[in-house]
Amino acid sequence: MVRSGGALIPTGRATDGTGPVRSRERFLEGEPVEAGVRASISNSWQRCRLLGLSPDQADLPFREDFDPDARIVRAAVPVLDRLQYRFSGSRMNLSVADAGGTVLVRRFGEASLARSLPAIQREPGFVFAEQVAGTNGIGLAVAERQLVRVYGAEHFAERSQASACRALPVRDPLSGRIEGILCFGYPRTCDDPALDTVIRKAARAIERRLLWQSSARERALLRAYLDTEVEAAVAPHHTVGLDELALGQHPRDRAILMEKATELLSCAQRAAVHVALSGGRRVTLLSRPMRGAAGVEGLAVEAVLAGPAPREPLAAPGQVSELPGLLAGPAASRGVLPSGAGVGAAPGRTPVRGLVLVGEPQVGRYALAARRRLELLCETSTRIGTTLDVRRTAQELAETAVPQLADYVTIDLPEAVLRGEESAHPYGDLRRTVVHGVRDDCPFHPVGKQADYGPTTPQLRCLTSGRAVLEPDLKTAAGWLAHDPEHTAELLAHVHSLIAVPLVARGVVLGVAAFYRGRDPAPFGDDDRSLAQELATRAALSIDNARRYTRERTMVLALQRSLLPQGLPDQDAVEVAHRYLPAESDVGGDWYDVIPLSGTRIGLMVGDVVGHGMLSAATMGRLRTAARSFAELDFPPDEVLTHLDNLVGRLDREEPAAGESGIIGATCLYAIYDPTAQQCTMARAGHPPPALVLPDGTVSFPELPDGPPLGLGGLPFEAAEMDVPGGSRLVLYTDGLIEDRHRDVDVVLDRLRGALAHPERTPEETCQVVLNTVAPAHPCDDIALLVARTRPLNPDRIAAWDLPADPARVSEVRASAMRKLADWGLDEAAFAAELLLSELVTNAIRHGCGPIRVRLIRDRKLICEVSDTSNTAPHLRRAATTDEGGRGLFLVAQLAQSWGTRYLPQGKVIWAECGLDGA
């Protein structure tokens, strides 16, 4: 009921249900709590069960030592009187309890109600804390530290089933500490949502009266200070406030003085400190005790303009209780300083001094704590999120909170979050990620262990509610104690208070952080919980940014690796090893490739797309595919680069997608090694030159013609040939290996030369040594490395014949080739080889120009090559039924596994490969 215009209005049943009667019965029978029960109520029921409470329990603890004149009582009594008038004639009962749940004062809307109620509902002194009274309004407000409503069967005790109540913590406006609990109790048939507004307004009124009490005490101290100065007949050099002292003072100086004055006030003792100001000025701050007329005790902090250095050192707060010489004499007891008495004043000058601050030490401590919390929040913005690594960001949160807020911090994250994904089961997939504290011997679960939290533990409660959960005293935290009795008992020797905070950002549950206090005997309070919540909120955003970056980087890296060669081709020309190392910050567009070519030759390629990210990786895949296609057409290196240059230019001219920039360019190095001639042909486009390691260990960096980067166009590329003896090593790499803004390129090349000057190492060993000794510790660019050790083809596996363009000589070459195949033991391949040679030589004689050269190479396959000096290439076509010719190349294509044309500086080579499976 509420009073409206002097009349009582029955409000009837609450609009949100009749209370979970059936759910409570099922819970008491040991069955799971149904989903329809509010989380705060079900958590409270679980805690009551763990504490062994009985719903039939009628007796409650009674305290006779409570203070009936406590601050909260003096502030609340006038408000309760007004509420009693408002609810007069109703069955409303109003109560105020202290922060521990002990009822201090009661009021009733109907006087007869007090006489009809049992003593525990009408007398002050009974304790309604949850651990003794079960789920109720006062106890739940103490546990939840916010406005709560308990209705009917939501009460744990049988005696309260017909009642409903609302309870709200009342806080000290200066400290934020809970001073008491305001509770409205009434029959459950009179519940009304409007009571939320009424109880909030009443709590605010009590809080304002608490503030007035503090202000009155401070006014009393200031009055005492002024009375003391009047009695002392202070000279005009004294002033109240900083106006005179602040002449010419920088605003930062005022802030420094107030900060130091607050520290002195919080120390609650006589003390003095020197404060350096701008311009070389110094001020001495002095604190001395005061006592108001009403018995209020506090301190006054004065500032004294200082001159040269004092003859005696001044004491810092907390070091002394008296200042020898400075505070001696009757004048000092009244706060008057003698001229030049140890404050650094110049001889003959009366120091100018003024009041900076007056107040109670406890208020100073609150102000000091508030400033330090603000400093911690400011520090958070610079210390958390310095990297885009999930684990490191979580570690930074712990390092920021220790020891300013907590002594120990543990952080649990799901495995999926560590991989950059969203966890499908964030409450059950938690794994210990960070353990950090003032000592290393605290017995927390180690990093990597799976964290299985029960439903009543603070960690799971904060995750399900989305709010920080405070457990001021872990010895009475039933849910925490019951989770792992052996381990929690061991932890209680090191910690006594806990704040569990969920890590949630953008609606994604990222994990949970637990802040523990052990060294400081004072438990965590609500201001600490708010600070921990703010720290965790800011850190969660950084962790989510790191998670998103990890996911995107994993996707780009997966794309990058899928576009790189998945394996090395089977070939005998070189022994190859390769490495790809992505940059720490982002993935780029580096690539490498090993391309088998005709005539047992091998193509070696490395390239680098300018830029980083998904676009660079995708462009790399397009360039590598195109480069491989151009190489397999048997173009020489300079022509391959020319085709790539044209392709990059076209890509650069394409309309970029929204939010993306065009491709700037790329660099590339392409080398072709011929094991039959032990020669290598190379060309480069803006790429670092390769390293050539001879069999004796000599390392050189060949001076190749330096072509422009791909995409610029307009300038030709030039290839260079060099002899590469068997057993030499060709080392191709991208600029990420040698270029770094913190290192000199020449020094890095010398280090690379030293790492390569070991011919006994295998290519695999060489790759690893180069990465260990030459690559930067934290690469800012991708690194692609390709090491190839050459293996020349044995001359006994090569047969060659020169003949003029005479059809009569075809039979001679055919016969010589058959004899050679017989010598090689390839009789089964002779039939196909004989037909191939006949067709290829005949075509060369008819359509080409002499002289003609025939070569057989025995490798993994039998290779037949016919070369002439003509640049006319044959083309496979389907001959009509009336054509007399045109079927030779068709036969070649059917008999050979592959065939093609390779151009020479003078002429061309037609080649065909036959399998040796049956040989």
Side-chain angles (χ1 to χ4, degrees):
M1 294 184 178
V2 297
R3 176 176 293 276
S4 176
L8 288 176
I9 302 176
T11 59
R13 190 176 299 274
T15 59
D16 56 350
T18 60
V21 179
R22 178 57 182 157
S23 297
R24 179 177 178 275
E25 293 176 355
R26 292 171 59 86
F27 171 77
L28 294 177
E29 293 171 359
E31 299 183 21
V33 180
E34 296 179 354
V37 180
R38 289 181 291 150
S40 59
I41 298 299
S42 76
N43 289 335
S44 179
W45 288 354
Q46 297 282 1
R47 293 194 294 270
C48 294
R49 171 184 284 171
L50 291 172
L51 291 167
L53 298 181
S54 170
D56 301 325
Q57 180 179 347
D59 297 331
L60 291 178
F62 180 81
R63 290 182 52 193
E64 296 182 354
D65 59 344
F66 70 91
D67 184 5
D69 193 38
R71 287 184 66 213
I72 184 66
V73 173
R74 295 198 306 272
V77 164
V79 178
L80 290 180
D81 290 341
R82 291 197 299 270
L83 288 173
Q84 184 178 22
Y85 172 75
R86 176 172 186 169
F87 292 108
S88 63
S90 71
R91 297 184 63 80
M92 178 74 71
N93 70 85
L94 313 167
S95 58
V96 171
D98 64 14
T102 301
V103 176
L104 303 178
V105 61
R106 288 268 196 189
R107 292 287 189 274
F108 300 95
E110 185 178 319
S112 61
L113 181 63
R115 294 188 295 272
S116 63
L117 292 175
I120 61 174
Q121 296 187 27
R122 66 174 184 267
E123 297 293 336
F126 284 98
V127 181
F128 278 85
E130 185 185 66
Q131 56 264 34
V132 295
T135 307
N136 69 91
I138 293 176
L140 193 57
V142 171
E144 296 287 329
R145 309 177 83 84
Q146 61 182 338
L147 176 63
V148 299
R149 170 182 174 270
V150 184
Y151 183 88
E154 290 181 337
H155 289 87
F156 187 77
E158 293 286 353
R159 63 176 178 271
S160 304
Q161 299 298 294
S163 302
C165 61
R166 278 174 168 80
L168 178 65
V170 179
R171 303 176 185 272
D172 186 323
L174 288 177
S175 67
R177 184 182 62 189
I178 292 179
E179 289 288 332
I181 306 294
L182 175 63
C183 181
F184 291 0
Y186 43 87
R188 68 182 186 189
T189 56
C190 298
D191 194 17
D192 187 349
L195 290 174
D196 284 350
T197 303
V198 177
I199 196 172
R200 290 184 189 277
K201 289 183 177 180
R204 284 198 295 269
I206 298 174
E207 290 172 350
R208 283 196 299 271
R209 294 186 58 81
L210 287 172
L211 181 61
W212 293 340
Q213 289 183 18
S214 299
S215 300
R217 296 169 70 90
E218 291 180 357
R219 288 196 299 269
L221 287 175
L222 180 58
R223 191 178 304 112
Y225 173 83
L226 296 175
D227 292 343
T228 302
E229 301 307 319
V230 171
E231 293 174 6
V234 179
H237 300 287
H238 175 271
T239 179
V240 176
L242 287 175
D243 291 341
E244 184 174 334
L245 291 175
L247 293 177
Q249 184 178 314
H250 191 276
R252 177 168 174 77
D253 293 341
R254 181 183 294 272
I256 293 174
L257 284 177
M258 292 302 297
E259 178 181 338
K260 294 297 183 182
T262 305
E263 291 181 4
L264 282 174
L265 183 65
S266 66
C267 293
Q269 65 176 13
R270 295 178 184 268
V273 293
H274 285 310
V275 182
L277 303 179
S278 60
R281 303 175 65 204
R282 288 192 305 168
V283 167
T284 302
L285 291 180
L286 305 171
S287 65
R288 59 188 176 91
M290 301 293 302
R291 184 179 181 87
V296 181
E297 296 182 353
L299 282 92
V301 180
E302 298 173 303
V304 181
L305 282 177
R311 292 185 296 274
E312 296 181 8
L314 293 178
Q319 292 180 335
V320 297
S321 58
E322 298 290 340
L323 301 178
L326 181 63
L327 300 174
S333 66
R334 298 192 302 270
V336 180
L337 294 171
S339 176
V343 297
R349 287 176 51 190
T350 302
V352 178
R353 66 189 178 93
L355 180 66
V356 178
L357 197 62
V358 64
E360 297 177 86
Q362 189 67 20
V363 177
R365 295 189 187 101
Y366 291 150
L368 191 62
R371 192 189 75 240
R372 288 174 177 168
R373 291 188 180 97
L374 182 60
E375 291 173 350
L376 180 58
L377 289 177
C378 294
E379 185 182 359
T380 300
S381 61
T382 59
R383 291 192 60 181
I384 300 178
T386 59
T387 68
L388 287 172
D389 180 81
V390 174
R391 286 184 173 86
R392 180 56 198 159
T393 304
Q395 181 71 30
E396 289 170 346
L397 168 60
E399 293 173 353
T400 302
V402 174
Q404 290 91 331
L405 173 62
D407 296 322
Y408 301 94
V409 176
T410 64
I411 299 177
D412 305 319
L413 303 178
E415 278 287 343
V417 171
L418 297 175
R419 296 193 303 267
E421 305 167 3
E422 293 185 14
S423 177
H425 305 285
Y427 304 152
D429 187 30
L430 294 172
R431 194 167 296 275
R432 181 60 45 86
T433 306
V434 173
V435 177
H436 182 70
V438 294
R439 296 174 55 181
D440 296 331
D441 58 349
C442 198
F444 291 103
H445 290 308
V447 172
K449 180 178 176 61
Q450 187 168 358
D452 297 319
Y453 293 115
T456 60
T457 56
Q459 287 86 346
L460 199 60
R461 285 162 52 201
C462 79
L463 284 174
T464 54
S465 66
R467 299 188 301 270
V469 172
L470 169 62
E471 291 288 359
D473 187 2
L474 288 177
K475 293 180 180 178
T476 61
W480 185 79
L481 291 169
H483 171 59
D484 188 353
E486 288 188 19
H487 191 244
T488 51
E490 189 177 3
L491 278 176
L492 283 176
H494 300 80
V495 297
H496 59 75
S497 191
L498 163 67
I499 300 175
V501 189
L503 297 172
V504 182
R506 302 180 181 97
V508 178
V509 177
L510 303 172
V512 61
F515 301 85
Y516 292 88
R517 180 170 287 177
R519 295 188 305 171
D520 190 345
F524 283 127
D526 284 286
D527 48 356
D528 298 310
R529 180 178 65 169
S530 300
L531 178 59
Q533 179 77 67
E534 182 65 23
L535 286 177
T537 300
R538 298 188 182 194
L541 286 174
S542 297
I543 292 174
D544 192 50
N545 290 338
R547 179 192 66 83
R548 289 167 174 252
Y549 169 78
T550 301
R551 180 187 61 188
E552 293 175 4
R553 186 173 188 273
T554 301
M555 293 171 57
V556 175
L557 190 57
L559 172 63
Q560 170 91 337
R561 294 193 182 279
S562 68
L563 296 175
L564 290 174
Q566 301 304 302
L568 296 177
D570 294 331
Q571 47 81 36
D572 296 325
V574 290
E575 179 186 356
V576 180
H578 57 85
R579 293 290 189 277
Y580 171 72
L581 185 65
E584 282 193 351
S585 59
D586 207 348
V587 177
D590 291 16
W591 87 90
Y592 62 88
D593 210 345
V594 179
I595 309 167
L597 301 176
S598 62
T600 70
R601 298 171 308 140
I602 195 74
L604 305 173
M605 182 181 292
V606 292
D608 183 5
V609 175
V610 176
H612 295 85
M614 184 76 75
L615 182 61
S616 295
T619 303
M620 178 274 291
R622 298 170 73 176
L623 289 185
R624 175 180 169 259
T625 302
R628 189 177 185 93
S629 300
F630 295 146
E632 289 178 342
L633 291 174
D634 269 327
F635 291 142
D638 53 334
E639 291 190 27
V640 170
L641 296 182
T642 300
H643 288 294
L644 286 177
D645 181 58
N646 295 332
L647 174 62
V648 174
R650 289 195 300 273
L651 293 177
D652 207 11
R653 291 190 296 270
E654 290 180 357
E655 185 71 21
E660 297 179 350
S661 59
I663 303 300
I664 298 176
T667 66
C668 185
L669 170 65
Y670 182 40
I672 297 177
Y673 172 68
D674 187 351
T676 63
Q678 299 185 41
Q679 284 187 333
C680 188
T681 305
M682 304 183 192
R684 65 184 178 126
H687 203 85
L692 175 61
V693 186
L694 298 178
D696 60 359
T698 303
V699 181
S700 63
F701 297 93
E703 290 293 335
L704 299 181
D706 188 9
L710 300 175
L712 296 184
L715 295 176
F717 299 96
E718 186 178 351
E721 290 188 358
M722 63 190 68
D723 294 329
V724 180
S728 301
R729 281 175 294 164
L730 284 168
V731 182
L732 285 66
Y733 51 88
T734 54
D735 57 1
L737 178 67
I738 60 172
E739 293 183 5
D740 184 56
R741 61 175 176 267
H742 304 296
R743 304 187 301 171
D744 183 81
V745 174
D746 293 333
V747 174
V748 177
L749 289 177
D750 288 339
R751 189 179 300 175
L752 177 60
R753 190 190 307 271
L756 296 177
H758 296 275
E760 73 281 359
R761 289 174 179 160
T762 64
E764 285 288 341
E765 294 171 342
T766 301
C767 281
Q768 197 58 47
V769 169
V770 168
L771 290 184
N772 291 341
T773 61
V774 181
H778 303 283
C780 57
D781 195 7
D782 292 15
I783 297 175
L785 177 64
L786 191 65
V787 178
R789 180 159 61 187
T790 60
R791 293 188 292 205
L793 191 64
N794 192 323
D796 293 340
R797 303 170 71 89
I798 304 172
W801 299 272
D802 295 321
L803 67 154
D806 184 358
R809 302 292 298 274
V810 175
S811 59
E812 297 178 8
V813 173
R814 189 167 56 233
S816 299
M818 294 304 101
R819 288 194 296 271
K820 191 63 178 178
L821 291 178
D823 294 340
W824 285 343
L826 301 179
D827 294 330
E828 295 189 16
F831 175 75
E834 183 178 9
L835 288 178
L836 289 174
L837 283 175
S838 297
E839 292 297 332
L840 294 179
V841 172
T842 301
N843 280 341
I845 293 174
R846 288 183 178 179
H847 306 288
C849 301
I852 297 172
R853 182 177 178 81
V854 177
R855 188 168 71 159
L856 290 180
I857 302 174
R858 180 188 176 186
D859 192 45
R860 293 174 180 266
K861 298 176 183 178
L862 178 63
I863 303 172
C864 304
E865 294 183 347
V866 177
S867 60
D868 62 77
T869 58
S870 171
N871 289 325
T872 303
H875 297 281
L876 179 63
R877 65 181 180 85
R878 182 178 295 276
T881 55
T882 57
D883 290 342
E884 295 183 0
R887 297 176 178 81
L889 285 181
F890 180 77
L891 291 176
V892 170
Q894 296 299 311
L895 293 173
Q897 289 186 349
S898 60
W899 72 280
T901 303
R902 180 171 75 248
Y903 289 93
L904 304 174
Q906 293 84 28
K908 65 179 183 298
V909 175
I910 310 297
W911 56 269
E913 294 180 351
C914 297
L916 300 179
D917 295 339

